[in-house]
Amino acid sequence: MTMSVDRRAVLAGLGASASLPLLGSLSRPAAAAGETISYTAWSAAVDQVQSHIHAFEKASGIAVRYENFPGAQFRASLVTKFTSNEPLDLIWMNDAWTPEFAEAGWITPIDDVPQLMAYNADVQKYCTDAMRYKGRQYGLVYYTDHMSFMYNKEMLDKAGFEKPPATWDEVVQQGLKLKQMGLAEYPLMLALTADAWLIEMIGPFVYSFGGTYTDPAGLSTLRDPGNGALAAATWMRDAIHTHKIVSPGAVTTSEIDALKAFASGKSAFAILPSYRIRVLNDPAQAKVAGNIRINLMPAGSGAKAGNHTCGWVRYYGLTPHARATKAREAAVMKLMEWFGGKVDDKYVFQKMLLLDVGVPFCTKSLMQDTDVLAFYDKWAGGEGTILKQSSMAITKDVISPWFGEWNETNNQSWQSVFLNQSTPAAGLAASGDKWNQLKKQFG
Amino acid sequence: MTATSSPPAERGVAALARPRFSPRAPSHDERQALILLAPLLIVLAVVAVFPIIYSFYTSLFDINLARPLRQPFVWFDNYVRMLGEPRIQIALWRTAVFTVVTVAGTTLAALVVALFLNETFRGRRILAILLLVPWATPSVVNGLMWKWIYDSNYGVLNGLLQALGLIDNYKIWLADPDKTLYLIANAAIWKQMPLSAILLLVTMKSIPEDLYKAARVDGANVVQRFLNVTLPALRPGLMLVLVYETMISIRHFDLFMLLTQGGPGNASSTLSWQIYVETFRSLRFGTGSALAYILAFLTLILGALMIRLGWRREAR
């Protein structure tokens, strides 16, 4: 059978396909007649973001183009888009990128918008501090979290421990007994692969040993023999190679791999973001559900040691393109508030993120919400420890325009210590020297 | 038509009198060909020639995308700086080790497989088709498959070795910096070997049977027939496999990305991985482009040397 295709049929087909986008646009909200604004994020809480965007489009009549990229490639994707002048409006930001992006002129301050700045009164101070650079504020908080010390209560009960370890020395003692009893081959689960998470995985050790990366003048302290960072690196190396309570495979373990392994009951302790507690205590997702508890980060030795951990903030940033015209600026500000602020006088999205995904927030008033308290009771056995740990979280003291470049060297330096290829002092010195070199280079 | 009808001697004189590279108006056929080829040439210029030239131009600047306002022209400073950096020297060494191991492993394995398939036995054709499966598997799938095989918790390698009684406990294969590069090379050999085996098999099929008959008459055994008949006749195919595999191995990237990301530490940090890190993680497009050119030159020089050496021996 042969098909005859005449010119008229082809033209009709072309016309029909050309009209498809038009039909698509008709189904959009009314204000799509105006400009579409963009919302760029990493691939997290995608369902929640999409549903909240749909609600925004319906309520405001403003069309939003939402796109997301994997977290590991997000920074590079954003930078590529900015350098090729792609028109972005609202972006998810990592607090570590603020100086770099601000210096490059890719994000713009919001401190001239009283409506948005009013939220600061209800936000924890360290969160607003994390969004500031050279005295200017660059966004509204998306979420905040910190690394938590989690333990498997059932396993500790079997080993006869009444309390979880309060110091890193106790972690070694309990770990060795758990190992001896055959309850866990490697009792402490760590994710030490050289990716974007590594600095936040090392952070709890550095800060709980009273260490720092930089001094008040911004110079590296990693060569200082009295720095707690050196004690932290030594402890971590010994945990892997001397005590063998941490698997040597940690150097190839990502955060998600560590979560899965801990969820399957392979270890007694783990350091993970606190928002993972929801997954770990969900019977549908974890074998160990109901047995995972959070304790304060064990303290290291030394005068400045304490139960500190590493905290971070992610926020909604605004690009200069968003403020190109008054109409666009108003639309993007509205979208930013819809996500980072209140909707009908309620923090809808922040609450949704916590209840659906377990992601914590910075908003003080929301911490008294009955649903929020019930969430912590259900998943984390009460929110007291999480909030106490949150107040002891330290944001990375390496946030600078050269952070991304330096972190490549830093990751490799710490990994060389974990692999016993270099001494803790030599590994940290290499990282510190790179820091000082970049600081000098960037002026 | 006058030009073609003139006597040969006259044409020779006229040719001598003309300047050697005088411009000549293209003939009708040549013009037609040029018009037909134009779209392809334009596409090639846009997608291949321009990026090649532009990346070289980029390699002469100190470009960091995170510092868009400061991009000084630095001549060949990026090349000098990169070659002087210890991590790049380590990466060059690892690239050399990986290339040698992969090319040697692939060629030897391909030779054995080709010799086996050159024999006559039932199911030979099906086996030859099945052999191509690893080669036809997409690189990403291959990488993920080997990641699972090597996994320290549920990997089939650990399961197999333990079942055979060769290991007591599961090993954390990819976390061992002394083994990582070789494990990645093993995965690369598995993927690259089939095509090489087919190329060698095709060359083997072209060896005249008479040569083997003559060798048998002379009393040559299997090994002697292989060394004196098969191997010399295989030289063109082997050269092709060696050059092709070297070009592929020296630039290998996907397995490093999927299996180890250059780690643990810098145990699997090759030149191609450093290009990725420099360009897409550190966002230094200037030094990234310089490294890419260094790799391209190395590949070119190595390929040219191998072809030249092989051609000389062939000529002898």
Side-chain angles (χ1 to χ4, degrees):
Chain A
M1 194 178 83
T2 56
M3 281 178 68
S4 62
V5 181
D6 64 5
R7 199 163 63 104
R8 189 168 298 197
V10 171
L11 287 172
L14 284 173
S17 51
S19 65
L20 280 176
L22 185 67
L23 288 171
S25 70
L26 286 176
S27 66
R28 282 189 189 159
E35 286 179 279
T36 301
I37 56 175
S38 78
Y39 184 112
T40 312
W42 53 85
S43 314
V46 174
D47 292 342
Q48 286 76 15
V49 173
Q50 274 177 336
S51 76
H52 207 53
I53 285 177
H54 288 150
F56 174 79
E57 288 182 324
K58 207 172 167 186
S60 67
I62 300 165
V64 179
R65 180 169 53 86
Y66 167 58
E67 58 178 348
N68 64 75
F69 304 97
Q73 284 89 46
F74 188 69
R75 177 175 161 268
S77 304
L78 272 189
V79 173
T80 314
K81 282 171 180 289
F82 280 126
T83 47
S84 58
N85 294 320
E86 195 173 319
L88 303 179
D89 295 311
L90 191 70
I91 56 170
W92 282 11
M93 276 289 295
N94 183 320
D95 54 354
W97 309 332
T98 309
E100 186 181 16
F101 279 39
E103 289 287 345
W106 295 331
I107 49 172
T108 180
I110 62 154
D111 44 22
D112 57 337
V113 188
Q115 188 191 341
L116 298 180
M117 293 300 283
Y119 285 104
N120 283 357
D122 198 16
V123 169
Q124 293 182 81
K125 189 180 173 297
Y126 81 91
C127 295
T128 43
D129 286 349
M131 299 183 292
R132 284 185 206 273
Y133 177 63
K134 290 187 175 173
R136 311 292 307 269
Q137 186 172 325
Y138 284 86
L140 283 189
V141 179
Y142 150 45
Y143 90 96
T144 181
D145 206 2
H146 57 264
M147 285 296 171
S148 278
F149 183 81
M150 299 186 184
Y151 64 96
N152 184 325
K153 192 176 179 303
E154 188 185 30
M155 221 180 249
L156 261 59
D157 287 346
K158 276 184 193 167
F161 295 119
E162 288 178 6
K163 283 182 182 173
T167 64
W168 289 114
D169 285 342
E170 284 180 26
V171 172
V172 174
Q173 288 159 19
Q174 293 196 5
L176 288 173
K177 190 173 177 194
L178 286 157
K179 221 174 141 66
Q180 201 181 10
M181 291 176 74
L183 290 167
E185 189 182 2
Y186 298 110
L188 175 58
M189 177 59 65
L190 295 179
L192 303 176
T193 196
D195 63 8
W197 271 115
L198 185 57
I199 189 145
E200 275 146 0
M201 291 287 174
I202 296 166
F205 291 93
V206 172
Y207 299 132
S208 64
F209 273 89
T212 56
Y213 285 97
T214 57
D215 64 15
L219 289 167
S220 174
T221 51
L222 292 175
R223 266 191 181 275
D224 176 5
N227 188 352
L230 188 60
T234 308
W235 189 94
M236 292 174 87
R237 182 201 57 184
D238 292 347
I240 299 170
H241 297 282
T242 309
H243 311 305
K244 299 186 194 307
I245 58 167
V246 174
S247 165
V251 290
T252 56
T253 304
S254 65
E255 190 267 341
I256 192 77
D257 291 338
L259 174 73
K260 284 179 191 166
F262 190 54
S264 70
K266 281 193 73 142
S267 55
F269 314 116
I271 292 182
L272 290 166
S274 73
Y275 74 83
R276 294 298 196 186
I277 193 73
R278 187 194 188 285
V279 172
L280 287 165
N281 279 327
D282 182 353
Q285 300 185 69
K287 198 176 157 187
V288 294
N291 291 312
I292 303 303
R293 300 281 183 278
I294 291 181
N295 197 35
L296 287 182
M297 195 59 65
S301 51
K304 292 177 188 169
N307 302 107
H308 303 293
T309 189
C310 178
W312 58 86
V313 171
R314 309 292 185 244
Y315 66 93
Y316 304 100
L318 208 63
T319 70
H321 178 265
R323 307 191 79 169
T325 63
K326 287 284 169 200
R328 176 168 287 273
E329 184 182 26
V332 181
M333 295 287 183
K334 202 177 267 184
L335 180 65
M336 186 186 237
E337 191 176 6
W338 187 266
F339 274 86
K342 289 180 178 175
V343 176
D344 296 334
D345 211 34
K346 287 176 189 160
Y347 291 105
V348 176
F349 192 64
Q350 297 182 26
K351 199 169 158 181
M352 186 200 291
L353 275 185
L354 178 81
L355 301 183
D356 285 9
V357 192
V359 173
F361 43 76
C362 282
T363 310
K364 290 184 275 189
S365 62
L366 204 52
M367 285 163 192
Q368 306 309 319
D369 184 282
T370 48
D371 294 334
V372 170
L373 294 173
F375 170 89
Y376 281 118
D377 278 339
K378 182 180 178 186
W379 300 105
E383 38 64 274
T385 312
I386 290 183
L387 284 185
K388 196 173 175 189
Q389 185 69 83
S390 166
S391 69
M392 299 171 90
I394 297 173
T395 49
K396 299 174 288 292
D397 54 332
V398 285
I399 295 177
S400 62
W402 55 90
F403 170 78
E405 206 170 335
W406 167 77
N407 204 29
E408 286 296 327
T409 304
N410 185 54
N411 281 354
Q412 283 222 340
S413 302
W414 281 83
Q415 275 221 329
S416 69
V417 175
F418 304 148
L419 289 163
N420 223 356
Q421 288 176 328
S422 56
T423 62
L428 267 57
S431 173
D433 291 349
K434 183 71 179 179
W435 175 273
N436 287 340
Q437 180 208 324
L438 286 168
K439 181 175 163 50
K440 197 175 166 188
Q441 198 182 319
F442 275 72
Chain B
M1 296 303 284
T2 49
T4 49
S5 58
S6 57
E10 234 175 80
R11 283 210 303 270
V13 172
L16 279 174
R18 271 204 310 266
R20 281 187 86 176
F21 300 107
S22 66
R24 181 179 63 83
S27 68
H28 175 74
D29 284 354
E30 285 169 338
R31 276 201 302 274
Q32 287 273 347
L34 205 63
I35 289 166
L36 290 170
L37 283 172
L40 178 71
L41 292 174
I42 291 167
V43 170
L44 268 179
V46 171
V47 303
V49 180
F50 174 72
I52 288 171
I53 296 168
Y54 188 72
S55 62
F56 177 70
Y57 175 74
T58 305
S59 76
L60 305 177
F61 288 84
D62 181 9
I63 297 175
N64 183 335
L65 288 195
R67 300 172 74 189
L69 305 175
R70 187 196 153 278
Q71 297 180 345
F73 181 74
V74 292
W75 290 102
F76 289 93
D77 189 45
N78 285 335
Y79 292 84
V80 176
R81 203 150 52 86
M82 284 293 103
L83 287 171
E85 279 209 14
R87 70 187 166 101
I88 301 300
Q89 290 161 5
I90 290 169
L92 276 167
W93 172 245
R94 303 226 192 286
T95 306
V97 172
F98 177 79
T99 305
V100 169
V101 172
T102 311
V103 173
T106 305
T107 311
L108 282 174
L111 189 60
V112 171
V113 170
L115 283 168
F116 179 67
L117 288 177
N118 199 32
E119 297 300 314
T120 312
F121 59 89
R122 190 186 282 267
R124 185 171 57 94
R125 287 190 178 185
I126 292 173
L127 204 63
I129 292 166
L130 285 177
L131 178 76
L132 282 171
V133 170
W135 175 73
T137 308
S139 299
V140 173
V141 175
N142 181 50
L144 289 174
M145 186 185 77
W146 281 98
K147 192 173 185 173
W148 292 338
I149 289 172
Y150 291 144
D151 190 275
S152 57
N153 295 311
Y154 50 78
V156 72
L157 181 64
N158 272 325
L160 187 71
L161 294 177
Q162 201 176 41
L164 292 171
L166 297 171
I167 55 169
D168 295 327
N169 297 312
Y170 274 25
K171 303 276 178 203
I172 306 161
W173 299 105
L174 292 173
D176 185 340
D178 297 330
K179 294 192 185 85
T180 311
L181 203 61
Y182 302 102
L183 291 167
I184 299 172
N186 178 58
I189 291 168
W190 188 83
K191 170 133 179 75
Q192 288 166 212
M193 182 274 288
L195 183 67
S196 301
I198 297 296
L199 287 172
L200 291 179
L201 184 63
V202 170
T203 318
M204 269 178 207
K205 293 282 178 204
S206 67
I207 302 171
E209 189 55 36
D210 292 349
L211 290 176
Y212 288 105
K213 281 180 185 166
R216 275 193 208 99
V217 169
D218 289 343
N221 60 25
V222 177
V223 178
Q224 285 168 327
R225 286 203 298 275
F226 173 71
L227 291 174
N228 297 310
V229 179
T230 312
L231 215 49
L234 263 186
R235 192 169 283 152
L238 274 173
M239 276 312 298
L240 183 66
V241 166
L242 284 172
V243 172
Y244 174 75
E245 290 302 334
T246 305
M247 301 255 185
I248 295 289
S249 303
I250 204 170
R251 296 180 292 117
H252 212 100
F253 173 74
D254 36 16
L255 284 172
F256 293 97
M257 176 76 182
L258 289 160
L259 291 180
T260 57
Q261 305 231 334
N266 61 8
S268 60
S269 172
T270 56
L271 204 53
S272 56
W273 175 253
Q274 282 298 332
I275 293 170
Y276 171 76
V277 168
E278 201 67 16
T279 314
F280 296 106
R281 282 192 176 178
S282 297
L283 304 170
R284 289 185 294 241
F285 274 55
T287 43
S289 301
L291 280 179
Y293 261 87
I294 290 169
L295 183 64
F297 277 124
L298 281 178
T299 314
L300 202 70
I301 291 166
L302 212 59
L305 273 175
M306 290 174 85
I307 291 168
R308 204 179 169 89
L309 279 172
W311 181 80
R312 271 190 189 164
R313 284 192 181 167
E314 195 64 23
R316 251 184 255 154

